[in-house]
Amino acid sequence: MPDTNKPTGKSVAESPVTDLFEDGRHPSASEQHWGEKNLAPSLEKSPEKPIGAPTGVNLDEHGHARFTTISGLPIRRLYTRADLPEDWTYDQYLNFPGQPPYTRGIHASGYRGKMWTMRQFSGFASPEETNERYKYLLAHGGQGLSVAFDLPTLMGYDSDHMMSEGEVGKCGVAIDSLEDMEILFDGIDLEKTTVSMTINSPASVLWAMYLAVAEKQGADWKKISGTIQNDILKEYIAQKEYIYPPAPSMRLVIDTFEFGSKFTPKFNTISISGYHIREAGSTALQELAFTIYDGVEYVEWARRRGLDVDEFGPRLSFFFNAHNDFFEEIGKYRAARKIWYRLMKDRLGAKNARTWLMRFHTQTAGVSLTAQQPMNNIARVAIQALAAVLGGTQSLHTDSYDEALALPTEEAVRIALRTQQIIAYESGVAQTVDPLGGSYFVERMTLDMEKGAFDYFDKLDAMGGMVAAIEKGYPQKEIAEASYQFQRATEAKEKITVGANEFVVDEPPPNILYIDESVARHQSEKLARLRARRSNDEVGRRLAALKKAAAQEPQTLTDGKISPANTMPFIVDAVKAYATVGEICDALREVYGTYEESAFA
């Protein structure tokens, strides 16, 4: 009798039984029997057909149907115990929720003890209008606020600057001064409301304004909670909204780590963001690897500064994308927790178990939304949000169906929030922890994500870290290639986008939110009045003090105090004098200069 535990030597094209032995698999006798007696006759009678055009990525070398994730990773027709490592055990690879390696989540009771925070990304036009939207969201069950800033604010320009023309209030709210931040959060108790701010290069400036508003409200800085994105590395990699060169930008980030660990122990001083890396066209694996390695880079810069990883580490948070490929996304989130645990404990020397925990926010994939048949986006967002929840996110934002066309209307943002609430309160998925844990497919996907990420880490280590890799253009080129391959497959209809490249119909566009130039005029008028009534001499003195501190090399003290050259206290002083975002960023531009990306080979 022939040895059925070895391949027969026939090609995959000739025998699906041989397919069972691919990639080092050791199928059981029963799986082999199924392959011979059930699978082979079924394939002979009804050959598999690709999802999409039978060309390119959808065909293997024998011309047979090939199935891949949205990122292009091959998918087997069936997953069994043979797809897991031979030494696979529950305790080693999974363990219980709240226990290392945290595959099944960082909280022992999952969402039973605390539901994820339902945080809607919002901001448009003026602070007055955005304040109304925030109150609308909170009244309809939103549990946290997430501030979207307009492009001038993101780039460190005031609304009346020539570089701001045509962009004021268009992609988020315009914030020029402490006065605007006061209006933005008028009537909102910042000690009781968690707030996330999507701001990077000028993050310390906007955070200082937020802290000043909280102080004016009488809030205790030690009790306020929220997050500033503050992730400058992903700006160089993907989003390109940077101001200063990498080294001084990293110094400003580490200043916030040091300041936050002493004065705002419940506030996350960074949200290390894969979201924008994915939006730029990366694969799920590239998003995972580059994001987590960015986290390593921040920790290593902070340690070189003399900061204790167990002091600032528990306030590091992450921000991931939730894309359309349901199981790939779930595997990504589960792998992320395992990887961060291993890195923090073994590579970065963290001793505090809280430092080992990866806490992350998720946003559904804006890049997946279509302007064609936009109501289809409601279904996309629901699938993506469900993947984030099954992957164990701590916080979630669901995109509105009309965001491929404009900033969302009130109706669209309410539907997006209701999508989260239906998942939370009607679907049943929040009642048990990691309900897909133990699935052969999900566990294999998790392991593949983990291995692929560490392969990328080896390459980045060899380049000297992420800053050096960015200067060489490595992550940028990787993402560009992945984006090109997906676009090629989409144009060839090898990857189907319902309503865009298949199942297309003509229909009138929906009503959308329109922001006109009156917002820019309103903001410019406010700025003129502000500059007329404030003490401009005091503003000048405080900006001069900031520039002096920024020009010095910060030194970590051993008496529990922050460095005298830490820029945060000087920025707080400047915003309290009503210095504007543009004025503060210009002061830092004088010290650090600006960055222009080189052309990469």
Side-chain angles (χ1 to χ4, degrees):
M1 183 175 179
D3 184 356
T4 56
N5 289 314
K6 294 181 180 180
T8 63
K10 296 180 181 179
S11 71
V12 176
E14 296 173 5
S15 173
V17 176
T18 304
D19 177 51
L20 302 182
F21 291 88
E22 282 185 338
D23 303 319
R25 296 177 87 252
H26 298 282
S28 65
S30 59
E31 185 178 351
Q32 293 177 59
H33 182 270
W34 164 81
E36 293 170 349
K37 302 301 182 183
N38 297 92
L39 177 61
S42 176
L43 291 176
E44 185 175 350
K45 182 179 179 181
S46 300
E48 294 171 336
K49 298 177 181 178
I51 300 173
T55 58
V57 70
N58 287 339
L59 295 181
D60 67 16
E61 64 272 25
H62 304 288
H64 289 179
R66 183 172 183 264
F67 296 83
T68 60
T69 68
I70 197 170
S71 300
L73 297 178
I75 298 297
R76 298 185 59 80
R77 71 172 60 85
L78 180 71
Y79 287 79
T80 70
R81 177 64 179 81
D83 292 288
L84 301 182
E86 292 189 74
D87 67 347
W88 194 94
T89 62
Y90 181 90
D91 290 348
Q92 179 182 357
Y93 285 88
L94 287 180
N95 213 347
F96 295 97
Q99 292 184 344
Y102 307 108
T103 316
R104 308 203 71 179
I106 63 173
H107 299 303
S109 62
Y111 296 126
R112 285 185 169 210
K114 184 181 179 183
M115 198 67 75
W116 68 88
T117 301
M118 299 179 193
R119 187 190 304 281
Q120 288 304 114
F121 189 48
S122 181
F124 66 97
S126 67
E128 292 86 350
E129 291 166 283
T130 298
N131 177 260
E132 291 179 10
R133 176 65 65 87
Y134 286 162
K135 290 174 179 175
Y136 175 86
L137 287 167
L138 293 171
H140 282 81
Q143 299 163 340
L145 300 176
S146 186
V147 187
F149 296 97
D150 71 355
L151 186 59
T153 306
L154 294 170
M155 299 302 295
Y157 293 116
D158 291 333
S159 295
D160 59 357
H161 194 281
M162 61 179 293
M163 294 293 289
S164 302
E165 186 173 347
E167 293 290 346
V168 177
K170 296 293 176 69
C171 69
V173 62
I175 298 293
D176 293 312
S177 71
L178 178 58
E179 178 184 36
D180 287 332
M181 195 69 89
E182 291 165 347
I183 295 168
L184 186 68
F185 293 112
D186 180 52
I188 297 171
D189 189 339
L190 296 185
E191 199 170 286
K192 296 179 180 178
T193 307
T194 175
V195 175
S196 173
M197 292 181 283
T198 304
I199 191 76
N200 293 286
S201 206
S204 51
V205 181
L206 276 298
W207 188 39
M209 290 180 177
Y210 180 85
L211 295 176
V213 172
E215 187 175 79
K216 284 195 166 199
Q217 288 186 359
D220 184 345
W221 279 7
K222 294 188 180 299
K223 294 181 180 178
I224 61 173
S225 61
T227 304
I228 47 171
Q229 192 162 100
N230 202 22
D231 178 6
I232 199 60
L233 290 176
K234 63 90 177 173
E235 294 297 332
Y236 300 112
I237 294 171
Q239 190 153 289
K240 312 302 182 185
E241 289 167 355
Y242 43 70
I243 301 175
Y244 320 109
S249 291
M250 291 292 284
R251 177 257 170 91
L252 292 172
V253 172
I254 305 308
D255 281 353
T256 64
F257 287 6
E258 183 184 43
F259 185 86
S261 66
K262 297 291 190 288
F263 300 110
T264 59
K266 291 187 175 182
F267 208 97
N268 300 328
T269 46
I270 194 168
S271 176
I272 304 158
S273 175
Y275 184 83
H276 303 93
I277 291 173
R278 192 68 178 280
E279 293 288 286
S282 80
T283 65
L285 175 58
Q286 289 168 345
E287 176 197 358
L288 176 70
F290 295 155
T291 303
I292 293 181
Y293 199 89
D294 281 351
V296 171
E297 189 87 346
Y298 288 120
V299 172
E300 290 184 338
W301 278 66
R303 290 171 71 203
R304 289 198 291 270
R305 174 91 159 255
L307 303 185
D308 181 352
V309 66
D310 283 318
E311 188 168 348
F312 69 84
R315 301 324 305 169
L316 302 178
S317 65
F318 287 81
F319 175 21
F320 289 113
N321 198 297
H323 218 295
N324 282 333
D325 201 298
F326 190 71
F327 293 104
E328 183 174 52
E329 295 303 290
I330 294 168
K332 179 184 73 180
Y333 304 131
R334 298 170 89 250
R337 284 189 293 267
K338 292 181 69 179
I339 294 166
W340 190 241
Y341 161 69
R342 285 177 58 183
L343 291 171
M344 290 301 282
K345 181 174 180 290
D346 300 334
R347 174 169 175 160
L348 300 170
K351 302 292 191 296
N352 183 352
R354 289 184 63 244
T355 313
W356 301 340
L357 304 180
M358 170 177 276
R359 296 164 298 112
F360 66 93
H361 170 71
T362 309
Q363 181 177 339
T364 57
V367 73
S368 75
L369 304 181
T370 60
Q372 305 94 330
Q373 301 179 44
M375 298 300 285
N376 293 343
N377 294 327
I378 297 174
R380 292 187 178 98
V381 167
I383 291 167
Q384 295 163 7
L386 184 59
V389 170
L390 291 173
T393 191
Q394 277 69 63
S395 173
L396 179 60
H397 160 70
T398 35
D399 291 331
S400 299
Y401 69 82
D402 55 359
E403 285 190 66
L405 296 159
L407 292 175
T409 60
E410 280 194 353
E411 178 198 45
V413 79
R414 186 178 69 249
I415 291 172
L417 177 59
R418 293 288 183 257
T419 300
Q420 292 203 49
Q421 292 164 338
I422 290 168
I423 292 172
Y425 303 114
E426 295 186 30
S427 72
V429 298
Q431 297 188 65
T432 189
V433 186
D434 188 31
L436 295 180
S439 155
Y440 297 125
F441 182 32
V442 170
E443 297 304 342
R444 181 71 260 170
M445 187 70 74
T446 302
L447 291 169
D448 288 345
M449 284 283 177
E450 184 178 7
K451 179 183 181 302
F454 278 101
D455 288 343
Y456 264 119
F457 296 167
D458 290 342
K459 295 174 185 176
L460 292 162
D461 283 343
M463 293 178 194
M466 184 55 89
V467 170
I470 288 168
E471 290 170 343
K472 293 181 175 72
Y474 174 70
Q476 299 96 308
K477 287 186 285 188
E478 287 285 291
I479 294 167
E481 176 62 22
S483 179
Y484 166 75
Q485 292 299 338
F486 179 76
Q487 182 64 26
R488 187 209 60 77
T490 299
E491 291 176 358
K493 294 190 178 182
E494 294 164 10
K495 293 294 184 184
I496 299 299
T497 303
V498 174
N501 70 350
E502 191 63 278
F503 312 110
V504 177
V505 299
D506 291 326
E507 63 178 12
N511 294 325
I512 61 173
L513 184 67
Y514 177 71
I515 311 296
D516 63 28
E517 291 305 306
S518 65
V519 177
R521 292 193 295 271
H522 174 65
Q523 287 298 112
S524 295
E525 289 165 1
K526 272 199 301 183
L527 277 168
R529 292 193 296 270
L530 174 70
R531 292 186 177 116
R533 71 173 182 267
R534 71 184 184 182
S535 171
N536 290 307
D537 288 342
E538 183 62 23
V539 168
R541 284 191 292 272
R542 296 191 183 189
L543 291 176
L546 170 61
K547 287 190 284 186
K548 182 178 178 181
Q552 297 173 3
E553 189 68 28
Q555 301 294 326
T556 300
L557 305 181
T558 57
D559 57 2
K561 297 180 181 179
I562 67 173
S563 167
N566 187 303
T567 54
M568 272 304 300
F570 298 94
I571 294 172
V572 171
D573 285 346
V575 303
K576 286 182 177 180
Y578 290 89
T580 67
V581 171
E583 289 165 346
I584 296 170
C585 289
D586 280 345
L588 294 172
R589 284 183 181 99
E590 289 183 35
V591 179
Y592 297 138
T594 57
Y595 180 72
E596 292 185 11
E597 189 172 44
S598 303
F600 300 110

